[in-house]
């Protein structure tokens, strides 16, 4: 029976077909907590047992020392305007080891943990071009690939020089016809034997969007290798490989720039008959053709590091600035942060900054502990970069005019301008959501899908029988769980903790059962068409992603000792997460295109789903205590924005804002006395200056309190000012002649 069923399924192609490149991606990395949600019955006890650590003392000292000093050296406004990094900054970064954070100590590097590297990248992300100089050498590229796949000779030659910054690396992958579909690169290397009998490779390629390319002197080039004479013994077309090419190699063209919307060195790399030794293949000649596997394996955990660090830095920056500004800026004689419109946005900023940070720590710690979860990493990459963008926009809404006037005092403008970069690179989010998260997760993380596919490919009937029977049992059990947990609103699922957060574990158990049941329906009834159903796949991805963020939020709350004042923030984040899951489920029900089952989901199913929702979102009454978390100076504010650089109070932008916020907070008790006296008729004027004078004259406030109020008001007025430029400063790039058209040229000249 099972032999016949195997043949029928294979002949009808009912399940998705897997290409060689897809197989390499599926086999890269590991299944982690993402698999728990696909099971329909997540083991939260074991998930809570995963580490949620702090930085080592040495890593924290690096953040408190060299990173802080680097910030004080860099004029971010000037760097944005000139697009140049001063030589002294380059040298400082070399001297302090910024280029070797990832390099092991035995090769002269820091050997920093994944969590530590992410923390450095988060803190330096606001440095623009300087931040990209920290990221590129310490993520996917020469050092990381050499550490994992390089020969001993290559490690000895390159890693010490990479750690010292003698080699400035860049990674050449993207091409005009190969972006998110990186496996379709046209770069080609042809193997040949030169006159001396040495095996070499002649490369031709055109790469673009390569960060640090204009200033790099060591290029890692991804290219498809052809070996027509089979000199390397890997066949006529071994496949994609990664090769090291030095600046100055004949035919290699470096130095031209693209002009990114935010200032950092990025440009094309052109190779015309570039000849390198076969020994320049990372891993040596024997590693030819292993490039795609190498890239997939490193991206499986790597996507959780640099781009999430930048996205979460934007979340925290929005929180660090918007909360204080909402208390400094007044309209209608009250701080705008007390108005319900701004308050709602501020609450979202506070809660999402807390939630996104929880995912960074949890997942980076997982990578440090040996997990390489490609699906979880893709979730972080997509959602943290998008959430950073959204929260910055929310912050700009609250800051209004002060947010859109550029200059040294603009706090959020740089993050707003640069946000699309994080959304776009290392796999555009629009494709990460619709192709990778669920498309890869449904096969790799599902408890039986990959086993079934492998047994079909191998025509292994016993393995097929075992997988199918297991899958059917799981499907029926999750259908039962979905029904029972729905009827009990999750109370039939056992929470691993007691107290006010227990109900959220129950709701996540309920959500996981429905998610797993719907996943099976999609695999059974949509099958191979799932590859083309990007909208449906995207909704499944959303449901999976927000289950992860809800859990990591709960994990952080436990790890930090269940801080009572954080509970409203946690509840807001969880209600928001559950609402996103609910919306995703409603979208799946409404658009499930399958006979009979589709109708049942669209009509009676969706009606029942809406009548018994996971959540309707955070309540209005939660907004006030959550917004207050970043409106009042103290330990809670510090926890939410921890990891950012906070300038001295005499500095423009954030510095002067924090000073005003502090002074206004200190003056609030005295201001309260005056307001009470006005209400009681003891003070007759409502003009602030006159009221203060009258309050002082009548003994409502002391002379010291009056001075506190004056200082606070002076700081308030300074903090709400925006930058003003003279005519010469404004027209700094005024043309002095020439043809403006020549200022830009296409890649083809």
């Amino acid at each position: 029976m099972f032999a016949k069923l195997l043949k029928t399924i294979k002949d009808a192609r009912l399940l998705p077909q897997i290409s060689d490149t897809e197989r390499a991606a599926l086999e890269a990395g590991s299944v982690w907590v993402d698999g728990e949600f696909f099971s329909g019955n997540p083991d939260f006890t074991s998930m809570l047992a995963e580490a949620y650590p702090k930085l080592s003392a040495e890593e924290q000292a690096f953040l408190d020392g060299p990173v802080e000093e680097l910030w004080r050296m860099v004029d971010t406004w000037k760097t944005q305007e000139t697009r140049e990094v001063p030589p002294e900054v380059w040298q400082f970064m070399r001297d302090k080891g910024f280029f070797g954070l990832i390099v092991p100590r035995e090769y002269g590097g820091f050997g920093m943990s994944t969590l530590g590297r992410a923390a450095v990248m988060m803190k330096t992300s606001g440095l623009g071009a300087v931040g990209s100089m920290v990221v590129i050498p310490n993520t996917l590229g020469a050092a990381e690939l050499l550490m994992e796949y390089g020969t001993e000779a290559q490690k000895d030659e390159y890693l010490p020089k990479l750690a010292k910054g003698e080699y400035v690396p860049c990674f050449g992958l993207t091409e005009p016809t190969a972006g998110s579909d990186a496996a379709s690169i046209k770069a080609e290397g042809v193997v040949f034997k030169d006159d001396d009998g040495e095996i070499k490779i002649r490369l031709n390629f055109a790469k673009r969007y390569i960060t640090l390319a204009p200033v790099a002197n060591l290029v890692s080039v991804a290219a498809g290798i052809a070996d027509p004479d089979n000199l390397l013994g890997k066949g006529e077309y071994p496949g994609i490989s990664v090769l090291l090419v030095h600046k100055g190699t004949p035919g290699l063209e470096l130095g031209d720039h693209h002009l990114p919307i935010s200032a950092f060195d990025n440009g094309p790399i052109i190779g015309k008959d570039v000849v390198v030794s076969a020994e320049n293949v990372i891993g040596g000649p024997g590693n030819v053709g292993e490039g795609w596997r190498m890239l997939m394996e490193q991206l499986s955990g790597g996507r959780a590091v640099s781009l999430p660090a930048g996205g979460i830095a934007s979340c925290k920056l929005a929180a660090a600035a918007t909360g204080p500004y909402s208390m400094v800026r007044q309209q209608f004689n009250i701080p705008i942060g007390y108005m319900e419109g701004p308050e709602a946005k501020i609450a979202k900023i506070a809660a999402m900054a807390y939630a996104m940070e929880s995912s960074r720590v949890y997942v980076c710690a997982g990578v440090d502990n040996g997990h390489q979860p490609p699906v979880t990493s893709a979730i972080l990459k997509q959602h943290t970069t998008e959430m950073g963008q959204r929260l910055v926009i929310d912050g700009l809404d609250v800051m209004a005019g002060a947010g859109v006037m550029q200059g040294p005092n603009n706090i959020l403008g740089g993050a707003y301008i640069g946000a699309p970069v994080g959304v776009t690179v290392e796999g555009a989010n629009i494709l990460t959501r619709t192709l990778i998260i669920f498309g890869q997760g449904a096969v790799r993380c599902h408890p039986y899908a990959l086993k079934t596919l492998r047994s079909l490919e191998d025509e292994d009937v016993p393995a097929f029988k075992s997988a199918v029977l297991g899958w059917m049992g799981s499907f029926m059990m999750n259908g039962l769980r979905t029904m029972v947990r729905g009827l009990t609103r999750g109370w039939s699922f056992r929470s691993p903790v007691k107290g006010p957060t227990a109900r959220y574990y129950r709701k996540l158990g309920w959500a996981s059962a429905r998610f797993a049941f719907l996943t099976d329906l999609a695999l059974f009834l949509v099958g191979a068409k799932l590859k083309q159903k990007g909208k449906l796949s995207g909704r499944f991805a959303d449901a999976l992603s927000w289950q992860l963020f809800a859990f990591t939020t709960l994990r952080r709350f436990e790890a930090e000792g269940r801080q009572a004042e954080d509970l409203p923030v946690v509840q807001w984040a969880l209600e928001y997460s559950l609402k996103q899951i609910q919306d995703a489920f409603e979208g799946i029900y409404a658009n499930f295109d399958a006979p009979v089952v589709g109708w049942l989901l669209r009509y009676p199913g969706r009606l029942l789903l809406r009548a018994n929702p996971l959540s309707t979102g955070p309540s209005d009454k939660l907004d006030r205590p959550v917004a207050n978390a970043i409106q009042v100076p103290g330990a809670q504010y510090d926890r939410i924005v921890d990891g950012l650089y906070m300038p001295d109070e005499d500095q423009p932008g954030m510095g002067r804002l924090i000073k005003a916020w502090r002074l206004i907070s200190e003056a609030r008790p005295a201001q309260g006395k005056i307001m009470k006296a006005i209400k009681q008729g003891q003070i007759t004027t409502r003009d602030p200056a006159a009221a203060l004078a009258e309050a002082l004259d009548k003994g409502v406030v002391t002379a010291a309190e009056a001075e506190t109020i004056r200082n606070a008001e002076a700081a308030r007025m300074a903090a709400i000012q925006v930058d003003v430029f003279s005519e010469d400063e404004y027209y700094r790039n005024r043309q002095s002649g020439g043809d403006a058209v020549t200022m830009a040229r296409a890649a083809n000249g």
Side-chain angles (χ1 to χ4, degrees):
M1 181 180 100
F2 283 95
K4 185 176 180 180
L5 179 61
L6 184 153
K7 186 176 186 304
T8 300
I9 293 175
K10 189 169 185 178
D11 291 345
R13 297 190 176 187
L14 295 178
L15 291 177
Q17 303 300 301
I18 303 175
S19 68
D20 289 341
T21 53
E22 288 173 325
R23 181 174 290 102
L26 286 171
E27 292 175 353
S30 56
V31 178
W32 188 36
V33 293
D34 35 23
E36 295 289 339
F37 296 114
F38 276 96
S39 76
N41 198 38
D43 182 357
F44 288 128
T45 300
S46 66
M47 293 165 70
L48 286 170
E50 292 280 350
Y52 194 95
K54 295 182 179 179
L55 298 176
S56 71
E58 192 173 8
E59 290 170 339
Q60 189 61 56
F62 188 84
L63 286 164
D64 295 340
V67 175
E68 292 270 333
E69 191 173 351
L70 179 64
W71 261 100
R72 289 190 287 270
M73 291 181 69
V74 177
D75 183 334
T76 54
W77 172 250
K78 185 176 180 180
T79 301
Q80 179 179 322
E81 293 295 282
T82 65
R83 310 187 189 111
E84 289 185 326
V85 177
E88 60 271 20
V89 173
W90 275 97
Q91 192 57 50
F92 176 82
M93 294 178 69
R94 289 188 175 102
D95 293 342
K96 298 298 182 180
F98 279 88
F99 297 107
L101 303 179
I102 194 173
V103 177
R105 290 180 181 274
E106 58 265 34
Y107 295 101
F110 195 106
M112 195 173 280
S113 69
T114 304
L115 182 62
R117 283 189 289 125
V120 174
M121 292 172 190
M122 181 171 69
K123 194 164 185 174
T124 57
S125 69
L127 290 172
V130 176
S132 68
M133 291 162 54
V134 176
V135 167
I136 299 304
N138 291 293
T139 51
L140 181 65
E144 188 170 33
L145 293 174
L146 284 165
M147 286 162 52
E148 188 67 27
Y149 307 103
T151 65
E152 291 305 313
Q154 288 174 338
K155 292 177 183 179
D156 292 340
E157 168 63 23
Y158 289 103
L159 289 178
K161 294 177 181 178
L162 285 164
K164 295 176 183 177
E166 292 180 30
Y167 282 139
V168 177
C170 68
F171 186 73
L173 178 60
T174 304
E175 299 175 0
T177 59
S180 295
D181 182 15
S184 65
I185 57 174
K186 304 299 182 186
E188 182 185 43
V190 179
V191 181
F192 69 99
K193 188 175 289 187
D194 69 6
D195 294 339
D196 296 328
E198 182 182 357
I199 298 176
K200 294 186 176 180
I201 301 174
R202 181 179 292 106
L203 295 163
N204 285 279
F205 53 85
K207 304 289 184 178
R208 67 174 181 177
Y209 305 154
I210 311 304
T211 300
L212 294 193
V215 295
N217 56 14
L218 181 65
V219 183
S220 304
V221 176
I225 302 299
D227 186 2
D229 298 321
N230 197 20
L231 296 174
L232 298 175
K234 291 288 195 81
E236 293 184 4
Y237 185 77
I240 294 174
S241 305
V242 182
L243 302 94
L244 296 171
V245 183
H246 292 250
K247 183 178 181 179
T249 302
L252 178 64
E253 299 178 13
L254 290 171
D256 284 349
H257 284 76
H258 297 309
L259 185 55
I261 56 175
S262 57
F264 62 95
D265 288 299
N266 184 286
I269 308 174
I270 307 299
K272 299 177 181 178
D273 292 329
V274 177
V275 176
V276 298
S277 170
E279 297 296 332
N280 285 40
V281 174
I282 291 182
N287 216 32
V288 166
E290 299 296 325
W292 184 247
R293 177 184 62 83
M294 291 160 51
L295 297 179
M296 291 300 98
E297 288 177 353
Q298 294 310 299
L299 280 172
S300 63
R303 278 198 181 102
V305 186
S306 59
L307 293 171
I312 294 166
S314 293
C315 294
K316 292 189 175 191
L317 181 64
T322 308
Y325 187 86
S326 73
M327 304 308 289
V328 170
R329 177 64 167 161
Q330 290 188 340
Q331 291 288 275
F332 309 105
N333 295 320
I334 62 170
I336 61 172
Y338 288 151
M339 301 175 185
E340 289 197 352
E343 177 186 87
K345 289 184 178 289
I346 296 162
K348 179 181 178 183
I349 290 170
M352 288 296 99
Y354 182 101
M356 294 297 110
E357 169 69 352
S358 74
S359 70
R360 182 188 71 86
V361 176
Y362 186 80
V363 177
C364 284
V367 174
D368 281 327
N369 286 328
H371 302 291
Q372 293 290 326
V375 174
T376 297
S377 295
I379 289 171
L380 258 67
K381 190 274 172 181
Q382 183 215 329
H383 285 276
T384 58
T385 54
E386 289 183 3
M387 187 58 71
Q389 184 179 44
R390 291 172 192 161
L391 297 191
V392 166
I393 291 172
D394 286 341
L396 290 173
D397 285 349
V398 174
M399 290 188 166
V404 298
M405 293 299 150
Q406 294 197 66
N409 284 296
N410 187 304
I411 301 172
L412 298 180
Y416 171 75
I417 293 169
V421 176
V423 169
T424 300
V425 300
E426 283 193 20
N429 282 0
I430 195 169
L431 295 182
T432 298
R433 173 179 177 265
T434 56
L435 291 178
I436 297 176
I437 294 174
F438 184 71
Q440 188 171 344
V443 177
R444 182 66 195 278
C445 301
H446 189 283
Y448 297 102
L450 188 57
K451 294 177 183 177
T452 303
L453 285 172
R454 283 174 174 164
S455 66
L456 282 167
E457 288 182 342
D458 297 340
E459 298 186 5
D460 185 338
V461 175
F464 176 73
K465 177 181 178 181
S466 175
V468 168
L469 290 176
W471 195 340
M472 290 302 100
S474 174
F475 172 67
M476 289 186 287
M477 181 58 71
N478 281 323
L480 180 62
R481 287 175 181 141
T482 301
M483 182 177 66
V484 174
R485 290 174 188 176
L487 290 172
T488 63
R489 292 193 56 76
W491 281 90
S492 57
F493 181 83
R494 185 175 180 179
S495 169
V497 304
K498 296 180 180 179
T501 59
R503 63 191 179 102
Y504 293 111
Y505 288 96
R506 297 187 184 106
K507 285 192 174 184
L508 282 177
W510 174 19
S512 173
R514 175 175 278 134
F515 173 76
F517 182 69
L518 290 172
T519 295
D520 284 342
L521 285 180
L523 289 171
F524 293 155
L525 302 178
V526 182
K529 294 180 181 178
L530 268 175
K531 285 185 180 181
Q532 289 77 45
K533 297 287 185 180
K535 295 174 185 176
L536 184 66
S537 180
R539 294 183 179 102
F540 274 103
D542 294 341
L544 175 62
S545 299
W546 285 103
Q547 287 177 79
L548 175 68
F549 288 118
F551 171 73
T552 61
T553 299
L554 288 164
R555 180 66 182 93
R556 177 178 180 178
F557 185 64
E558 295 295 324
E560 294 181 352
R562 295 189 166 201
Q563 298 280 343
E565 64 180 353
D566 287 347
L567 184 58
V569 177
V570 171
Q571 290 173 328
W572 201 106
L574 291 168
E575 293 293 346
Y576 181 89
S577 299
L578 290 170
K579 181 61 166 64
Q580 307 314 301
I581 300 168
Q582 174 72 19
D583 289 348
F585 285 155
E586 290 187 16
I588 292 167
Y589 275 48
N591 295 278
F592 199 93
D593 187 15
V596 183
V597 172
W599 184 90
L600 290 172
L601 291 176
R602 279 194 300 275
Y603 297 106
R606 193 151 52 125
L607 183 65
L608 293 171
L609 186 68
R610 289 177 172 176
N612 188 29
L614 284 166
S615 174
T616 56
S619 66
D620 289 351
K621 67 181 181 181
L622 266 180
D623 286 350
R624 172 85 313 266
V626 177
N628 194 67
I630 56 173
Q631 289 177 323
V632 177
Q636 189 176 26
Y637 173 86
D638 293 342
R639 279 196 301 277
I640 290 174
V641 306
D642 181 51
L644 291 183
Y645 171 73
M646 300 299 284
D648 295 335
E649 291 185 355
D650 61 351
Q651 295 300 302
M654 183 70 84
R656 70 176 192 178
L657 173 62
I658 296 300
K659 177 182 178 180
W661 182 47
R662 176 181 61 80
L663 292 175
I664 289 167
S665 298
E666 292 172 358
R668 187 164 290 116
Q671 289 278 24
K673 293 180 181 180
I674 296 175
M675 293 303 299
K676 182 178 179 181
I678 290 173
K679 289 180 180 179
Q680 293 176 345
Q682 187 179 358
I683 295 175
T684 57
T685 180
R686 290 184 176 272
D687 176 73
L692 178 59
E694 188 176 349
L696 183 60
D697 184 58
K698 294 182 177 180
V700 175
V701 295
T702 65
E705 288 174 324
E707 185 64 18
T708 298
I709 293 173
R710 291 190 192 97
N711 291 339
E713 289 305 310
R716 183 200 305 276
M717 290 306 298
I720 64 175
Q721 301 303 316
V722 298
D723 295 288
V724 177
F725 300 94
S726 68
E727 183 177 349
D728 287 342
E729 290 170 329
Y730 184 80
Y731 291 110
R732 68 192 184 284
N733 291 329
R734 179 179 281 163
Q735 295 183 37
S736 57
D739 183 0
V741 176
T742 63
M743 293 176 65
R745 60 183 176 84
N748 61 9

